[in-house]
Amino acid sequence: MTIPQQIADTIVDPKAYAEGKPVDDAFSFLRKEMPLAQATPEGYDPFWVVTKHADILEVERQNDLFHNGDRAATLVPKDVDQKVREMMGGSPHLVRSLVQMDNPDHMAYRRITQGAFLPQNLRKLEDRIREIARGFIDRMAAKGDTCDFARDVAFLYPLHVIMEVLGVPEVDEPRMLKLTQELFGSADPELNRLGAEVKDPAAGLAAVAETVGEFITYFNEMTEDRRRKPREDLASLIANATIDGQPLDHFAAMSYYIIAATAGHDTTSNTTAGGLWAIAERPDQFKRLKADPSLIPSFLEETIRWVTPVKHFMRTATADAEVHGQKIAKGDWMMLCYPSGNRDEDVFADPFDFKIDRSPNKHVAFGYGAHVCLGQHLGRMEMRVLWEELLPRLESVELNGTPKLMQANFVCGPKSVPIRFKMH
């Protein structure tokens, strides 16, 4: 079964994600008519499109059967894949982080920082995170009655938290934000390194490689510093970690920093911005949430489902398999479509309604199984603390213009959420 060309082209098109509705409509069609079928968009190798919640979980729980690292772990066109392999000595990966690893490497590298991200160890950070949240809310209040919530608060608050955890000085935060947006927004002319529409894939890839290179230069210096003078931070953990008695492979260590410094805030930023956008459009839900703070945890999970900042990951079959009655051949590439899983009518009643009291809410936004998001507990804590501090002070909020979504098919969310508000 081959997906109609228009649908296949839509689900890989960064502009379609920036519009939102075309992608929602495409996935709705696929869930109903072709829940697991092959797509052959122009310029890409064929891949299976996994759109149902249950099928995403089935693939994610079988890590030996469906690998992350055998091919690109995110969707890339054929010519870009070829150029990456030329640049990287045959490897399909510009970076090799936990996302691009399979066992035994994945578990060994994950263990390095896993303890730092456990809920019991994060609790000691909560007071400091609350202090940071209050500072950003004060800055928002100082703007008067309008601001761009995405740019003025949602981008900067999680960035500050993760940079403090990582050990990056505050003066370098704008640089880290810029590099993150260049990496994840490489198809967005407002955010990418070229500052223009990417018409030539080779130029686009070269720009991303430059961004990765700048990250590596930065974290090389940090590694040397933390080996000389270790501190109580994540950078020291990575710089001084060993596997089987040996220091980390340099490329994997640099990749570790990059994933912490990018995914460690960008996904939380997207979700936070999307959460405020949702309640700014729904005054009744905003009032309910203000009146009953016990709804914050369910509101938070609903914002994560609603935004689903990570749009996909790719997996490669290591042997012949069967999913949803379809025969998957060894070497086949599979696209796990998280926004589709999080709108699956078989799991979520009225999936296109935003419900602050949705329960249960078994979204797949953090992934599942061995590759479940390492920073999920920190992200949840940051968002919970922000809403606990912001909602009591926020008298009213409404949109003050049209929000805009980022152009990207991998990680994306709102890039602008203009609001008008009143604060206590």
Side-chain angles (χ1 to χ4, degrees):
M1 287 178 58
T2 304
I3 290 169
Q5 199 61 44
Q6 187 188 349
I7 300 275
D9 291 339
T10 297
I11 62 170
V12 303
D13 180 6
K15 289 180 181 167
Y17 286 85
E19 289 176 47
K21 191 172 185 311
V23 174
D24 283 341
D25 290 350
F27 284 138
S28 294
F29 167 83
L30 291 174
R31 281 193 303 277
K32 191 173 172 208
E33 305 295 340
M34 310 173 87
L36 203 143
Q38 276 205 309
T40 53
E42 194 180 337
Y44 290 81
D45 282 329
F47 56 89
W48 293 93
V49 182
V50 188
T51 61
K52 295 290 284 179
H53 189 279
D55 297 335
I56 292 170
L57 295 187
E58 187 180 339
V59 172
E60 293 246 31
R61 68 165 65 98
Q62 300 182 76
N63 300 108
D64 293 336
L65 184 56
F66 300 106
H67 270 187
N68 283 42
D70 295 357
R71 297 177 68 168
T74 58
L75 193 64
V76 291
K78 276 191 277 201
D79 52 357
V80 171
D81 182 62
Q82 189 184 332
K83 285 194 167 61
V84 170
R85 289 171 189 270
E86 286 166 11
M87 287 165 65
M88 305 307 293
S91 165
H93 311 302
L94 265 184
V95 295
R96 187 170 182 260
S97 71
L98 294 175
V99 169
Q100 289 82 16
M101 288 181 184
D102 298 292
N103 282 332
D105 286 1
H106 175 256
M107 202 58 242
Y109 277 83
R110 194 177 174 99
R111 275 196 203 104
I112 293 166
T113 58
Q114 197 163 24
F117 289 108
L118 290 172
Q120 60 266 37
N121 293 328
L122 291 171
R123 275 186 212 113
K124 56 180 182 249
L125 297 177
E126 183 162 340
D127 289 347
R128 175 61 187 140
I129 289 173
R130 199 169 289 280
E131 195 183 316
I132 294 168
R134 285 177 182 151
F136 278 100
I137 294 164
D138 287 342
R139 279 161 62 172
M140 177 178 163
K143 288 188 172 292
D145 60 357
T146 62
C147 75
D148 188 322
F149 187 77
R151 291 172 185 166
D152 297 330
V153 181
F155 289 172
L156 305 178
Y157 159 64
L159 175 75
H160 188 73
V161 172
I162 194 64
M163 292 305 150
E164 203 164 281
V165 169
L166 190 54
V168 170
E170 189 171 355
V171 68
D172 292 336
E173 286 176 18
R175 184 179 178 190
M176 290 288 128
L177 178 62
K178 177 177 172 288
L179 291 175
T180 300
Q181 292 180 334
E182 286 176 7
L183 196 63
F184 291 146
S186 60
D188 191 312
E190 288 185 16
L191 300 174
N192 67 24
R193 199 173 181 98
L194 300 170
E197 193 88 30
V198 180
K199 299 232 165 48
D200 172 19
L205 175 62
V208 171
E210 278 177 25
T211 296
V212 169
E214 198 173 324
F215 269 126
I216 288 173
T217 301
Y218 184 89
F219 288 117
N220 257 331
E221 289 175 18
M222 185 173 259
T223 298
E224 287 166 19
D225 175 73
R226 294 308 193 272
R227 283 180 179 160
R228 284 194 306 270
K229 297 177 294 204
R231 302 183 203 171
E232 290 286 316
D233 59 23
L234 207 59
S236 298
L237 271 183
I238 297 168
N240 297 290
T242 57
I243 291 176
D244 298 329
Q246 296 299 314
L248 297 198
D249 161 80
H250 176 261
F251 184 49
M254 293 300 113
S255 301
Y256 215 133
Y257 287 119
I258 291 171
I259 192 108
T262 56
H265 63 91
D266 197 71
T267 49
T268 307
S269 301
N270 288 331
T271 306
T272 304
L276 194 83
W277 177 355
I279 54 173
E281 286 187 319
R282 296 166 178 82
D284 54 327
Q285 302 236 14
F286 171 65
K287 278 185 191 139
R288 264 189 79 196
L289 193 54
K290 261 189 77 63
D292 184 0
S294 73
L295 288 168
I296 289 175
S298 60
F299 159 68
L300 181 54
E301 294 305 314
E302 182 68 341
T303 64
I304 297 167
R305 180 192 77 89
W306 190 247
V307 176
T308 311
V310 177
K311 304 308 179 193
H312 79 271
F313 274 123
M314 305 300 288
R315 297 287 191 270
T316 306
T318 60
D320 293 350
E322 189 175 298
V323 179
H324 204 99
Q326 296 286 359
K327 302 281 187 209
I328 309 293
K330 179 181 179 179
D332 279 1
W333 215 21
M334 308 181 79
M335 181 188 194
L336 304 181
C337 302
Y338 300 114
S340 179
N342 283 342
R343 298 288 190 277
D344 190 338
E345 297 78 0
D346 290 345
V347 179
F348 304 98
D350 308 313
F352 290 94
D353 289 352
F354 183 87
K355 301 180 179 183
I356 59 170
D357 58 355
R358 186 181 291 280
S359 181
N361 193 342
K362 296 184 173 167
H363 62 73
V364 286
F366 287 121
Y368 183 75
H371 280 276
V372 69
C373 173
L374 187 62
Q376 62 171 321
H377 302 301
L378 176 61
R380 280 187 170 107
M381 180 194 277
E382 288 172 59
M383 291 186 277
R384 171 178 60 77
V385 165
L386 184 74
W387 295 119
E388 285 170 356
E389 295 296 327
L390 178 59
L391 285 163
R393 290 184 62 182
L394 200 56
E395 265 182 67
S396 65
V397 63
E398 61 185 12
L399 293 179
N400 184 40
T402 307
K404 283 163 77 176
L405 292 163
M406 195 165 125
Q407 281 186 35
N409 65 15
F410 170 40
V411 175
C412 65
K415 64 179 176 183
S416 174
V417 181
I419 56 167
R420 183 174 298 284
F421 60 92
K422 274 193 191 147
M423 276 230 200
H424 291 300

